[in-house]
Structure formats: structure tokens, C-alpha cells
Amino acid sequence: MKTNTLHEKVIIAGFGGQGIMLAGKLLGHTAMVAGKEVTYMPSYGAEVRGGTAHCMVVIDDEPIASPMVSNPTSLIVMNKASLSKFAPRLKSGGLLIVNSSLIEKNNLKDISADIKILAVPANEIAVELGNVKAANMVALGAFLQKRKLFGSEAAANSLPKVLAKRHHKTLPVNSKALNKGAEFAKEH
Amino acid sequence: MSERVLICGNEAMGEAAVMAGVDAYFGYPITPQNEFTAYMAKRMPEEGRIFLQTESELAAINMVYGASATGKRAMTSSSSPGISLMQEGISYLAGAELPAVVVNVMRGGPGLGNIAPSQGDYFQATRGGGHGDYRTIAIGPSTVQELIDYMQLAFELADEYRTPVTILADGILGQMMEPVTFRKRKPRKLPPKDWALTGAEGRGQNIVRSLWLKEGALENHNYKLQEKYKKIEKNEVICEQYAVDDAEIVLVAYGVAARMVKAAVIKARKHGIKAGWIRPVTLWPFPTEQISKAAEDFKIFLTVEMSLGQMVDDVKLAVEGKCPVLFYGRPGGGIPGPEQILEKIKQLSITPKATAIKS
């Protein structure tokens, strides 16, 4: 059954330093510009580079009650620990974007059959573009393409608003990474 | 700045305070409100105003006292354990009749507790958490937009009544980002700060103090404060309500919990359950009258909090035994989500039984 009302609950997870929060903020900002209701909630506290990090983004046509997501409709996981932690919480029929550069295929065999899985070699694609740190953008681009919420160009337009000014020299590679991720998702 | 921006609650409060004309911010770091302090560290010097990271929460609240005594708009922010440390200073502010804005981004307690969102400081905020016979105004916003919108009001209430005002947020509100617009309200007309310590040249001496040793002096001072509190209770209650008139079940919640309740009530209505909600925005002064009025016809009241029951006491005092007042809450970082609240509503509703008979 297809409804026109949008209720998207996304968890993006990985280790600190992978740009998890940036990807979430970018998704949030893109949704805002598209005129949607949106909340972004980071995991906060003792998160440091190398530790685990996740954020939750809720996108809706109606006012959002809770920014907390226990059962996401979409999950983007950038490392193995995040897959084991969050994949069991995915709603049935949900979308799972996996960073296959760091998560081997055999880790996906327990995922229930009604989950749509897209394995994206996000690190490899980012390295090809010249900066491994753009892997988050590759994954987000792939997600945007699969969910068809907003185009990767819309996200690229929001990038300057969420990326700290001191990192603005990476805008081109991040924009490219968003597009590459979308292209990959189109082909797979 | 009238465009929509995506910003977290802590930073939004910082910018709102700057817009409201805060002259001095004093604070000491604590999760989950650190973005507030960090924002002010960057923003206040840009405006040529005072930012000071103090050596402790005690220092922060006493610097607020000092700055406020000179007639300047002063504020601090912290989270639960830090706010506990500030209680002495807040009592002194109340006693000396000094305006101040104190932001509490609540986390789990007691003690150091954890850093998760909580509403466990309601008693402390509404009863006057320090010693002595006083009250503090407490405002409980439930969106990032409201954190902005009520900041200016907080400063105005503080100035008008010369009393500390608490904004009671929580870890979710502080950390979450939502689209907001920064809009300036028309300022209230406020009395001149002719009591401030500005140098006594050409006028009589002003004294700011909370010590009243002379026989009968403190009693008189307490009566004076009480009169002020009565005026606040009469004039400054803010409360929202929805679908209360025909409701069989009325939920009462504030802050983030009120968002969950609103969603649950909409779902309950879709299930044919006559539910409504009352949402106190000011926690003190409490919307006693509004709740009392709603309790004139028989209803079940269900208070929902991110604690094991604090505001529910005020709801009971307002209902005065006319209706049953029940409670659902989760402490220590637990969040009563819309689905869980809906389950509670269903349990209390007689409608599903009627539906069952029909079918």
C-alpha cells in the first residue's frame, strides 16, 4: 500500500570520525530545505574518534513527536559493530545501506528477508575520489537514491550550510561522493 | 533572520539569549548542555558582551548575582547536578530580588546520575530548590522553536518581577536539531531598574541584600515576596490545551513528554477514544485554574513525565479529588514514547469494550 504521507525514521551509525553526525545533519538540512518536518538527534556523551557514534533523523509531513528512533525505517551502517547493534531494530520492509568496504557479506546472512539491502563499497569509492573521509557522503548519496526522498544534488546544495567553514575546501569531493553514491545505487 | 535554520536546542537558546539582550553569561561545562556554553564563548565576545567560563557552578551563579545587581541582564546554564550546586545562589537571588535567567538542561539523577534526558528536577525548579520561603518562575518549552520564543519572555519576567526564572529543558531538547526561525517579539514595557548598583552619584544609596536581621524585617520581606508571587500566579500562567471539553481521558504533560502525549492523543482519537491534553508551559506558576476547570466534569487524568512522578502532585492539587489522577512515567533516561502512552490510554478507555460488543 502506498501512502502519500512521509514517515521516514533513519539511523546512521558507525565509528567516531566517519562523519556520522555530518551525514545526519546534512540529511536533516536537505529535508528542511525541501519543506519537510525534520528532527536530528545525535548520540551524545563520551563519543570520541574510534568509538561508536550514531544519530537519528526523523523526516515527516506532520509535526514530529519524538526525535528518538527505536525502530528505523532506514539504517545506514558504516562499520560492523553498528550493523550488529542496529540491524535487528529495523522495521520490516526497511532499507539497509551497508558500507561493504568494512562489513563483509557473510555478516548479512542473518538479516531478515524482508529487508532491502544495498551493499556500497563506500570507502573504496571515496578513495577513488581522492578522500576516504567522503565515505559517509557515498553512503548517504546511495540512501537518497534508493529512498527517492531528495536528489543528491539537493544534499550537495545543503553541504555548505552544515559543513564547518574550515572544511569547505572538501566541498567538491563531498559533492562528488554524494553523486557517486547515488549512481552506484542506481546501478545496483 | 527570518529564514528557517536547522539548529540544536542548546545553540538556539544561546542565540535567543543574545537576541534578548543578555549582557553577561557565566557558566561551567556539563553534558548535555555544553553546546550552550560553547556557543556563548564564541558569540558573546562578537557582541562585545561578557562570557566567562567560571571555576565552578557556585562561582557562575554568584557572578550572575553580581552582574544582575548592577542592573545588567545576566544568565547561566547548566544541567541537573550543576543546578543543584547553584541552589544557594538562586535562593540569594530570590531573597535579594534580583532578576536572572537560569537554564537547566535536565539529565538523569539523583547524584551524578547519567547524561540521558530526564524531567527529574521538576520539584527542585517549582518548589524553590534552595532554602527559604520563595518561588522561582519555571518555563517548560517542548520544541527548539519554543526554547527561542520563551527566552525573551524569561528575561522580561525576571526583570519585571525581579526574580530568578528557570527554563527547564532536557537532554533531548538541548541536543536535538529542528528547523526554527529566529523572530523578535515586541518587548514588554518594563519598570526602570532604579534599584541597581550603578554608583550613587546624585542619588541615595541602593542596597542589594538578602540579610534582614532587624526584628520583624524578614517577616515583612517574606510578605512582600509573597505578594509578588501571588501577582505572578495571577498574571503569568501559560497553558495550552487540546480537545479537553468532550474528553474522557485528559493527559497532562510538559516539555518533551508533551510532544509524545500530543502524538498519542491524536492516535487515540483515531481509535475513537475521547482523549485530550493539557500542557502547562509555565510550571510555576502552575495552571491550577485550567486543570481545576477541566476536572469539573468527570474525566480520568493521566499525567505523563520523564520521572517517576513529580508534576502529578500539582495536577492532584488542582483536581482536588474531583477526578482520578493517574500517572505514567519513566525515569533515568527512559522515554515514554507515543506508542507506550497510547497503550496506557487504551487501558484506561472504556471505548474499546463498547466497540468489541458492537462487532
Side-chain angles (χ1 to χ4, degrees):
Chain A
M1 193 182 74
K2 214 170 165 136
T3 59
N4 292 324
T5 332
L6 175 66
H7 306 288
E8 185 73 31
K9 296 179 179 186
V10 189
I11 290 182
I12 308 174
F15 55 74
Q18 279 186 310
I20 301 301
M21 302 305 168
L22 179 68
K25 281 182 209 172
L26 182 58
L27 178 58
H29 197 276
T30 312
M32 178 184 76
V33 172
K36 301 295 175 193
E37 298 285 344
V38 61
T39 60
Y40 158 90
M41 182 77 196
S43 60
Y44 60 91
E47 277 74 17
V48 289
R49 196 162 295 177
T52 61
H54 71 272
C55 66
M56 308 164 189
V57 180
V58 182
I59 306 168
D60 210 300
D61 285 324
E62 309 283 332
I64 295 160
S66 177
M68 310 301 276
V69 176
S70 32
N71 301 110
T73 53
S74 297
L75 174 63
I76 304 172
V77 284
M78 298 301 288
N79 69 347
K80 206 175 129 186
S82 302
L83 178 77
S84 2
K85 184 171 175 189
F86 292 108
R89 301 189 198 171
L90 252 173
K91 266 206 167 137
S92 79
L95 172 65
L96 174 62
I97 306 282
V98 176
N99 178 12
S100 57
S101 306
L102 297 183
I103 305 166
E104 288 154 19
K105 269 238 163 69
N106 62 2
N107 292 300
L108 301 172
K109 59 182 189 292
D110 294 335
I111 306 291
S112 90
D114 61 353
I115 303 289
K116 282 166 267 168
I117 304 176
L118 176 66
V120 188
N123 286 39
E124 273 102 325
I125 293 176
V127 167
E128 274 170 35
L129 293 172
N131 193 339
V132 67
K133 284 186 191 158
N136 56 346
M137 294 296 128
V138 176
L140 185 65
F143 162 77
L144 290 171
Q145 175 62 35
K146 278 286 166 207
R147 264 290 180 250
K148 297 199 164 53
L149 293 174
F150 327 103
S152 55
E153 312 76 36
N157 288 339
S158 279
L159 254 179
K161 296 280 184 191
V162 293
L163 192 66
K165 281 226 168 64
R166 64 180 187 279
H167 297 310
H168 273 201
K169 58 179 184 297
T170 66
L171 284 173
V173 69
N174 278 311
S175 299
K176 269 187 226 159
L178 282 164
N179 291 333
K180 273 278 173 207
E183 271 173 35
F184 182 89
K186 228 180 262 177
E187 292 157 10
H188 291 81
Chain B
M1 279 217 275
S2 57
E3 56 168 337
R4 290 215 306 172
V5 292
L6 189 67
I7 191 169
C8 77
N10 284 330
E11 294 190 349
M13 282 192 282
E15 185 57 32
V18 169
M19 282 176 68
V22 65
D23 295 298
Y25 172 95
F26 307 96
Y28 184 81
I30 184 170
T31 306
Q33 66 81 57
N34 282 323
E35 295 78 13
F36 197 140
T37 314
Y39 188 84
M40 296 309 254
K42 186 181 79 164
R43 197 68 182 82
M44 291 296 270
E46 284 174 8
E47 296 288 325
R49 306 185 201 168
I50 299 295
F51 167 85
L52 211 150
Q53 182 173 320
T54 57
E55 70 271 32
S56 71
E57 287 86 350
L58 268 73
I61 195 70
N62 283 293
M63 287 184 196
V64 167
Y65 184 109
S68 177
T70 70
K72 298 293 183 188
R73 277 192 168 166
M75 80 177 307
T76 185
S77 66
S78 188
S79 177
S80 308
I83 297 289
S84 288
L85 287 165
M86 291 181 183
Q87 289 305 324
E88 180 194 56
I90 295 171
S91 166
Y92 277 55
L93 285 159
E97 293 194 86
L98 288 174
V101 173
V102 177
V103 173
N104 181 2
V105 182
M106 289 184 280
R107 60 187 248 184
L112 269 181
N114 62 15
I115 59 170
S118 161
Q119 293 184 327
D121 303 350
Y122 178 92
F123 282 152
Q124 184 190 55
T126 59
R127 297 303 188 265
H131 62 281
D133 217 346
Y134 76 98
R135 294 282 188 162
T136 51
I137 296 172
I139 305 174
S142 72
T143 62
V144 176
Q145 184 66 56
E146 283 189 352
L147 291 176
I148 297 168
D149 293 344
Y150 287 116
M151 185 60 79
Q152 187 182 333
L153 180 70
F155 278 103
E156 288 171 348
L157 290 173
D159 280 351
E160 178 160 349
Y161 295 101
R162 294 177 57 186
T163 196
V165 176
T166 299
I167 292 182
L168 215 51
D170 70 272
I172 291 180
L173 278 175
Q175 292 293 323
M176 77 185 285
M177 284 184 159
E178 277 187 304
V180 297
T181 50
F182 285 92
R183 48 198 175 203
K184 223 178 156 129
R185 281 193 312 116
K186 206 171 149 240
R188 268 193 194 207
K189 212 169 170 311
L190 296 169
K193 292 186 173 179
D194 51 11
W195 45 266
L197 308 183
T198 55
E201 202 180 338
R203 64 160 169 80
Q205 183 187 30
N206 281 345
I207 298 173
V208 170
R209 61 168 168 181
S210 68
L211 181 66
W212 302 84
L213 285 176
K214 216 177 121 198
E215 200 188 327
L218 182 60
E219 187 174 358
N220 282 336
H221 182 61
N222 279 142
Y223 284 134
K224 187 186 159 203
L225 291 179
Q226 198 57 36
E227 229 169 83
K228 178 164 85 177
Y229 298 149
K230 286 261 149 60
K231 213 169 133 193
I232 295 171
E233 283 181 319
K234 187 168 164 275
N235 296 331
E236 305 299 346
V237 171
I238 305 173
C239 172
E240 286 182 350
Q241 55 183 60
Y242 170 77
V244 168
D245 288 347
D246 73 330
E248 288 159 1
I249 302 168
V250 171
L251 286 89
V252 188
Y254 74 97
V256 155
R259 299 170 71 116
M260 315 290 173
V261 158
K262 285 180 184 180
V265 163
I266 287 170
K267 282 184 181 151
R269 285 270 169 183
K270 279 181 188 158
H271 282 84
I273 302 168
K274 286 185 174 168
W277 53 258
I278 296 178
R279 177 198 157 211
V281 176
T282 52
L283 308 172
W284 191 86
F286 192 73
T288 306
E289 226 180 280
Q290 286 83 343
I291 291 174
S292 170
K293 193 165 163 273
E296 274 165 18
D297 303 318
F298 184 82
K299 294 174 174 62
I300 295 170
F301 284 79
L302 175 64
T303 307
V304 178
E305 298 177 60
M306 279 148 59
S307 74
L308 287 182
Q310 300 194 8
M311 184 179 72
V312 64
D313 286 10
D314 281 337
V315 177
K316 282 180 182 166
L317 285 170
V319 168
E320 287 183 302
K322 290 180 281 191
C323 300
V325 178
L326 306 173
F327 175 77
Y328 172 57
R330 289 180 61 189
I335 292 151
E339 295 299 331
Q340 292 164 306
I341 298 168
L342 181 62
E343 273 314 301
K344 298 286 161 189
I345 297 174
K346 282 182 182 168
Q347 285 168 16
L348 295 173
S349 167
I350 50 168
T351 317
K353 278 183 204 159
T355 318
I357 292 163
K358 261 186 252 160
S359 62

